[in-house]
Structure formats: C-alpha cells, structure tokens
Amino acid sequence: MNNILSLAERVRNGELRSLAKAITLVESYKAGDRSSADKLVSELLPYSGCSIRIGISGIPGVGKSTFIESFGMYLVNLGYRIAVLAIDPSSQQSGGAILGDKTRMEKLAGQSNVFIRPSPSRGALGGVACRTREAILLCEAAGYNIVIVETVGTGQSEISVSSMVDFFLLMKIPGTGDELQGIKRGVMEVADGIVINKADGENLVSANLARQQIENALRILAPRSAQWHVPVLLCSALKEEGLDSVWEMIKDYVDLMKSSGDFSIKRQSQSVDWMWAVVYESIRDIFVNDPHISLQMQTIKSAVLEGQMSAHSAANKLMSIIQSD
C-alpha cells in the first residue's frame, strides 16, 4: 500500500516517469496488478476532473496526428498543460501499440508541458483502449488541464469515446465523398463539433462544398442538445490555420454546458458508464481466467458451433455457471 501511496504522490507532483508507470499499471492485464491499480485510481480520484476532455476521431488519413500536434502547440502557447492519449491499433502478436504517436508528434512531444501516451487498443471496440478512462483520471491528477483522446478511426463502434470526454470532435477531409456519409446515423450523431481539415490551396473550394453538405445533413439529425447546434469549421493543421476557431468552439460549448448544469450531469452519467464497462470486463475476465469456467465455456462453445445449442441458451448456461460458483 505504501508503494501505491508513494506513486500517487509522485503522479500528483507531475513526475512524467511516475505518470507513465501509473498508466502502465492500470493498463496491465496481470491479475496481481488489478488490485494495486484500483487502489491507485481510488487514491487519485479526488484530484481528478479538472480538465477539459476532448475526443478526436476521423478516418485514417484525415490528419488527426498533424492536427493534434498543431492544436496542442497552439494550446501550449496559451499556457495549458496538455496530455494526449493516442490509441494505436494493436499488434496481434505482442498486443503493443504499433504506430507510435510520439514519432508523429515530435515537436509537441518535446514540450515540457506535454505528455503523450500511445496505448494499444488491444482490439477493444469504440476505438479506445480498455483503460482510457483511468488514464484520463491519472493525467488530470498529474495537473494536465486539457486531455486529448485520439481514437483509432471512425465507424459505428467508435462512438464510445463520446461517453468519456466533454467534447467529441469529428474530423473530415474534402474531396473524398466521405462528407456524404453525414446523412447516415452513427458517429455524426454524437459529434459536438466537426472540422474539415486540409482546407487550403486547391482544396478550399471542395472544403466549402463539404461543409455545406454536412450542415445540410446535420439538419436531418435530431440535435443532442436544444442549446447547441453542431458547428462545421474549416482548418488546415499543416498551415496552422483555423486552430483558434476550433478552440473558441470548444470553449463556447463547455461554457454553455456548465452554465446550464448539463456539464456536471454528463460527467456523472459517464461515471456510471465507466462502472458498467468495468462490470462487463470483469465478467469477460471470469470466463477467460477461471480454469474451471473456461473449460466449461469451451464445451458450450463447441455445442453452439455444432448447432446443438442456441446462442441464447448457451449464454444462460454460462451465466448460471458463474452464479453457482
């Protein structure tokens, strides 16, 4: 316990190595580390919650890393301390992150007030790592007042990031036809703001057309809040243009949500979502890690594969095994 208290104190003092060690601990899948990680999170929980949490998503090639570096440098120059949790696709063999965002954000990574942490998604749905919520909390306890979560990509499963951030930013690029996907329900419905990147030079005409198409599409979708209409902005991360407008948009949203009381309500709802996420993961771990249950699970799985048992009956059987144990 003393080691955990010491680590928590070093995290609160803003020691980068200790913060990295703490996140490694909460990301660990070792059975012995789970109890220590829970104690660490509980110890630091009272010192969390003071940041603006921003989720950023977009298709591969949209320029998320370039945008985060330019946007992060803009915020650093305003005096903010920035933590970037960049979720990388996982190596199927090692489970480690394979892209390494520190190598793609060299300028930002060199800033003393910036912490960048690439984390493996380990195949988790939602485009975020299993322990992203805990990592956000630890970064806040270490004194970072803006936490950016970069997701793997976009799709129907990516929207879970919106359940752990204050502002969900969806990035798009002009001239790909992707803007027409705005009329489909899914990730567009959870976006608090949309930015069309690479809006410069010859792309400027198609960027304005894309903005008009997306704005038209948003009128079809029911707004998440009667107080907020999702803005569609243009920017060029490479040329560092439009970053001030993006920040003003995020600040306006946060100020509006706080003044209405919706900000704290959303945070409370997210805490409950976190609780259920842990419950679901704990149930999954029981099936995988308990030798007795795992053996029975394989037998039931074979029965499903061979058509001898329905999926619903199999699920009920597995749950009855847990309850009996």
Side-chain angles (χ1 to χ4, degrees):
M1 183 63 179
N2 288 336
N3 290 337
I4 295 299
L5 292 177
S6 175
L7 178 59
E9 183 177 1
R10 296 198 302 274
V11 169
R12 287 186 57 203
N13 289 334
E15 296 182 14
L16 291 182
R17 289 187 178 181
S18 296
L19 176 57
K21 182 179 180 179
I23 294 178
T24 297
L25 178 63
V26 300
E27 288 180 343
S28 174
Y29 276 71
K30 296 179 181 178
D33 289 342
R34 191 65 256 158
S35 176
S36 297
D38 289 342
K39 291 177 182 177
L40 178 65
V41 170
S42 296
E43 185 68 26
L44 292 175
L45 185 62
Y47 306 99
S48 67
C50 298
S51 79
I52 296 177
R53 305 166 182 172
I54 305 170
I56 298 180
S57 195
I59 61 173
V62 77
K64 292 191 295 292
S65 295
T66 303
F67 174 81
I68 291 172
E69 178 162 57
S70 296
F71 189 54
M73 289 299 301
Y74 173 82
L75 295 174
V76 166
N77 290 331
L78 291 178
Y80 291 99
R81 300 189 68 208
I82 316 297
V84 179
L85 302 175
I87 314 305
D88 274 347
S90 300
S91 164
Q92 294 299 313
Q93 294 184 354
S94 67
I98 63 177
L99 296 184
D101 283 77
K102 284 190 176 181
T103 63
R104 293 184 284 149
M105 304 179 191
E106 292 183 3
K107 186 177 180 181
L108 186 62
Q111 302 299 309
S112 59
N113 285 336
V114 174
F115 174 78
I116 299 178
R117 173 74 179 202
S119 297
S121 63
R122 298 182 188 271
L125 291 177
V128 289
C130 294
R131 307 294 183 188
T132 300
R133 291 178 176 86
E134 287 93 332
I136 291 173
L137 182 153
L138 295 177
C139 290
E140 292 176 337
Y144 292 93
N145 43 22
I146 295 180
V147 179
I148 297 173
V149 181
E150 177 195 2
T151 67
V152 175
T154 61
Q156 294 301 310
S157 64
E158 296 293 315
I159 60 176
S160 66
V161 69
S162 68
S163 71
M164 60 184 74
V165 297
D166 304 315
F167 190 95
F168 178 60
L169 180 66
L170 178 62
M171 294 187 64
K172 289 182 173 290
I173 49 178
T176 63
D178 178 62
E179 56 269 13
L180 297 179
Q181 298 302 312
I183 61 174
K184 294 184 178 180
R185 298 185 182 278
V187 70
M188 292 282 292
E189 291 184 304
V190 297
D192 299 306
I194 297 174
V195 167
I196 301 173
N197 192 24
K198 304 183 182 181
D200 51 53
E202 296 179 353
N203 288 333
L204 198 52
V205 173
S206 56
N208 277 298
L209 177 60
R211 175 167 62 180
Q212 182 179 352
Q213 292 175 330
I214 292 172
E215 288 175 341
N216 291 337
L218 288 171
R219 295 189 183 99
I220 301 173
L221 302 177
R224 298 179 68 191
S225 170
Q227 306 174 72
W228 181 258
H229 297 284
V230 177
V232 184
L233 305 182
L234 304 183
C235 85
S236 172
L238 189 62
K239 294 189 175 183
E240 301 180 356
E241 297 173 351
L243 301 176
D244 53 345
S245 298
V246 175
W247 179 231
E248 287 301 318
M249 170 180 64
I250 294 173
K251 286 197 303 179
D252 287 346
Y253 177 84
V254 172
D255 290 344
L256 179 64
M257 293 299 106
K258 284 185 175 181
S259 64
S260 68
D262 288 343
F263 187 88
S264 59
I265 293 174
K266 184 177 182 179
R267 283 280 183 96
Q268 291 168 351
S269 176
Q270 290 175 345
S271 295
V272 175
D273 289 341
W274 181 10
M275 177 192 72
W276 282 113
V278 173
V279 170
Y280 297 145
E281 184 181 350
S282 299
I283 293 174
R284 183 191 62 191
D285 288 346
I286 290 174
F287 288 123
V288 173
N289 298 324
D290 187 298
H292 174 64
I293 294 177
S294 180
L295 182 62
Q296 295 187 68
M297 183 178 68
Q298 293 303 319
T299 301
I300 295 172
K301 180 180 176 181
S302 297
V304 173
L305 289 172
E306 295 170 6
Q308 299 173 357
M309 184 181 295
S310 72
H312 193 273
S313 297
N316 287 336
K317 179 70 174 177
L318 288 171
M319 293 307 299
S320 66
I321 293 172
I322 292 180
Q323 293 169 358
S324 63
D325 283 13

